[in-house]
Amino acid sequence: MQSIREEYNLHQPLRFVKTKADPEWMDVEIKQLIRERQRLHPKGEYKLRDQFAHRIVSLIAKHKAIYYQNKYMKSKSDIRSAISPVKFLLKQLKLNGWTTTTELMLTPLQLLNMR
């Protein structure tokens, strides 16, 4: 059985095909329009094909803008959530009398050892 499998793999080897995932802003509507545009080209319906192409370009621009704006807003909120504990800690240190720059640059362990 092993030799049969080896001969089969020798003459008809298994191949792995890597496929690219669609961009996150790509949706079903854009894909359908692209298929329709591709279908119109061999038929010679160039005016209609160009209308589809224009519609595709405008939809892609709109979807990209929305996607990247949402991505920016999410990253902005992630940064704020990461910075807010640092701001809180600095405010607490200032309230407790730690005001000089060198004191604020110390690690929390060094601060505890000084008190």
Side-chain angles (χ1 to χ4, degrees), residues 1-92:
M1 188 67 165
Q2 184 67 23
S3 63
I4 294 173
R5 200 172 288 148
E6 288 173 2
E7 287 298 316
Y8 183 77
N9 285 336
L10 178 66
H11 296 288
Q12 291 182 336
L14 292 176
R15 294 184 183 173
F16 294 97
V17 178
K18 291 183 181 179
T19 59
K20 292 182 181 178
D22 287 333
E24 295 181 14
W25 44 263
M26 181 75 70
D27 68 350
V28 177
E29 181 184 7
I30 294 172
K31 287 181 181 183
Q32 287 175 343
L33 288 172
I34 290 171
R35 273 190 233 112
E36 186 63 24
R37 182 196 64 194
Q38 297 299 92
R39 187 185 64 78
L40 290 171
H41 181 74
K43 292 182 177 180
E45 298 180 27
Y46 299 117
K47 280 191 173 188
L48 192 55
R49 180 205 60 188
D50 292 343
Q51 290 173 356
F52 272 90
H54 180 68
R55 175 86 173 122
I56 291 166
V57 168
S58 64
L59 268 178
I60 287 174
K62 178 182 160 190
H63 285 239
K64 275 186 178 180
I66 292 169
Y67 169 74
Y68 286 113
Q69 182 179 13
N70 290 340
K71 191 171 184 175
Y72 171 74
M73 295 304 281
K74 184 183 180 313
S75 70
K76 193 173 176 183
S77 67
D78 289 346
I79 289 171
R80 283 186 183 154
S81 64
I83 291 176
S84 62
V86 174
K87 285 184 178 179
F88 175 76
L89 179 62
L90 289 174
K91 190 182 286 185
Q92 291 301 315

Side-chain angles (χ1 to χ4, degrees), residues 98 106-115:
W98 299 90
L106 297 174
T107 65
L109 185 59
Q110 291 171 330
L111 288 173
L112 288 174
N113 290 336
M114 290 179 71
R115 288 276 170 154

Side-chain angles (χ1 to χ4, degrees), residues 94-108:
K94 285 181 182 179
L95 289 175
N96 289 330
W98 299 90
T99 55
T100 64
T101 323
T102 52
E103 289 172 339
L104 292 177
M105 293 177 71
L106 297 174
T107 65

